Amino acid sequence: MSRGDGPLLSLENIYKFFPVRKSFFVAGTLRVHAVDGVSIDVPAGKTVGLVGESGCGKTTLGRMAIRLIPPDAGRVVFEGRDITTLAGEELRRIRSKMQIIFQDPYSSLNPRMRVRDIVGEGWRVHGIARGAEAREMAWRLLRRVGLSADAADKYPHEFSGGQRQRIGIARAIALSPRLVVADEPVSALDVSVQAQILNLLRDIQEEYGMAYLFVSHDLRVIRHVSDTVAVMYLGKLMEVSPAEDLFREPIHPYSRSLLSAVPMPGGALREKIVLSGEIPSPIHIPPGCRFHTRCFMAQRMCGEVSPLLRECAPGRYAACHFV
Ligand SMILES: Nc1ncnc2c1ncn2[C@@H]1O[C@H](COP(=O)(O)OP(=O)(O)O)[C@@H](O)[C@H]1O
Ligand SMILES: [Mg+2]
């Protein structure tokens, strides 16, 4: 149970570095700053959308949120409890409340397992159901995600991409989790199938009341699903705003640049802002504001002082010296 009215999940100033070899010929390692001091809350039953260009650290953050990988620093607090260093049986128990849906429904399902065993794995592991009862539960679950009961006896390769993602969703919700990390869950699917899967995710959220940390590089998807949106750049959050506010009027120059590529909620086009240059390497993060090398608003101090994420308007946070 959540204690008090706190958020379901709090990530508190978390970091993740990956060591990489300097080069084939040179000894020593460098560090990829995949997640570089991020704090964010996910309220129970709500959807926090996490958006940013490829390589900015979204997947790494999502995996730390459900303790698939440990952070190098900072805290993960779930239901009011610090789970940062939880291990063994205790971690296993808490894991049943946190699930993940992966981007690629082809590689995330074990090709040698029948669908009923895939979706029922958690029931076995946690001693909830087996045998005829588990079979009955699997049928019900598969129907709930839009598959027929005879899917239970088949193998993943017998399904289309969209159907496989339905199986992945069934597996994720089998234990009625309170938090689901959805990591680019529709990015590998045809556009026509994307809407069906997004609608399914919305319907089961209404029914089960779980929270989503919804990762996507696609702003249209993020707009469709999110209550709150966190905009990430090179391992840090640039802006956190209610989705409606962000898409009406983004605050941070990076959000403004990203959103200039998608129409306003009413359909009107925005002033086009072209991001200059390439994303810097996450091994050599620019000093000061890490976005300053590409920012149309950058001043001298931006290359010297790193701005903190601060409340710029009620309920809206941005890390910029000039907003
Ligand atoms: N296991 C790993 N070893 C080394 N670098 C990694 C590893 N996983 C991710 N990275 C790097 O960390 C950064 C963030 O990656 P990721 O979280 O996958 O970003 P996103 O999901 O936003 O595309 C990238 O530069 C990526 O290359
Ligand atoms: Mg990713």
Side-chain angles (χ1 to χ4, degrees):
M1 297 302 104
S2 275
R3 286 173 214 163
D5 325 315
L8 177 67
L9 172 79
S10 286
L11 301 178
E12 298 178 2
N13 203 20
I14 61 169
Y15 289 80
K16 187 74 192 177
F17 307 114
F18 294 110
V20 287
R21 280 283 299 278
K22 264 191 178 149
S23 82
F24 189 77
F25 303 103
V26 184
T29 55
L30 297 164
R31 299 199 304 179
V32 175
H33 296 244
V35 174
D36 212 11
V38 166
S39 300
I40 190 158
D41 289 347
V42 180
K46 300 287 186 195
T47 298
V48 173
L50 182 61
V51 71
E53 291 161 284
S54 174
C56 72
K58 305 181 296 298
T59 291
T60 306
L61 188 69
R63 291 185 175 197
M64 288 194 284
I66 58 168
R67 284 292 324 274
L68 280 180
I69 55 173
D72 291 323
R75 299 204 314 155
V76 183
V77 179
F78 183 73
E79 296 181 325
R81 176 177 181 206
D82 186 342
I83 63 161
T84 318
T85 57
L86 221 56
E89 176 59 24
E90 280 198 302
L91 179 60
R92 205 168 62 94
R93 229 174 311 135
I94 210 110
R95 278 260 173 76
S96 68
K97 300 183 187 187
M98 345 170 88
Q99 298 291 328
I100 186 162
I101 300 168
F102 296 97
Q103 167 171 353
D104 183 358
Y106 290 86
S107 62
S108 64
L109 304 175
N110 185 335
R112 281 182 291 279
M113 278 169 79
R114 286 182 200 277
V115 168
R116 67 170 130 86
D117 296 322
I118 291 172
V119 302
E121 195 165 25
W123 301 330
R124 268 195 315 286
V125 170
H126 293 274
I128 290 166
R130 50 177 68 236
E133 191 191 0
R135 217 158 30 240
E136 179 69 36
M137 284 165 67
W139 289 334
R140 233 180 299 140
L141 189 57
L142 290 169
R143 278 198 299 270
R144 179 64 199 87
V145 298
L147 295 166
S148 59
D150 66 1
D153 293 320
K154 296 184 179 168
Y155 291 90
H157 74 260
E158 299 177 65
F159 297 89
S160 69
Q163 289 171 326
R164 285 193 211 203
Q165 199 53 302
R166 290 177 193 273
I167 298 166
I169 292 168
R171 174 178 61 183
I173 64 174
L175 293 169
S176 301
R178 297 201 70 206
L179 174 69
V180 171
V181 172
D183 190 354
E184 308 267 9
V186 299
S187 301
L189 305 176
D190 291 343
V191 172
S192 59
V193 180
Q194 287 188 355
Q196 298 168 14
I197 298 296
L198 292 176
N199 288 340
L200 173 63
L201 288 169
R202 186 199 54 213
D203 292 348
I204 56 176
Q205 182 176 44
E206 269 169 29
E207 192 176 323
Y208 288 69
M210 76 276 261
Y212 289 135
L213 178 58
F214 198 108
V215 172
S216 180
H217 69 282
D218 186 336
L219 281 158
R220 290 162 313 161
V221 169
I222 287 290
R223 174 160 72 193
H224 192 76
V225 301
S226 307
D227 296 298
T228 301
V229 179
V231 180
M232 196 167 181
Y233 183 77
L234 269 184
K236 252 195 182 342
L237 297 184
M238 298 289 114
E239 175 165 354
V240 180
S241 285
E244 211 176 300
D245 296 340
L246 181 84
F247 283 95
R248 191 173 29 80
E249 190 188 14
I251 301 180
H252 195 285
Y254 179 57
S255 318
R256 288 174 58 191
S257 312
L258 280 184
L259 262 71
S260 77
V262 294
M264 309 250 271
L269 295 176
R270 299 174 205 264
E271 185 197 353
K272 183 94 186 119
I273 304 168
V274 179
L275 280 174
S276 56
E278 298 283 307
I279 306 185
S281 155
I283 296 172
H284 305 287
I285 302 259
C289 173
R290 59 196 59 209
F291 182 57
H292 85 269
T293 57
R294 301 172 76 197
C295 182
F296 63 92
M297 281 171 54
Q299 312 268 326
R300 186 159 152 223
M301 80 176 290
C302 301
E304 293 161 1
V305 184
S306 176
L308 294 173
L309 192 68
R310 59 185 174 84
E311 195 164 14
C312 299
R316 305 194 59 179
Y317 299 81
C320 176
H321 297 302
F322 299 105
V323 298

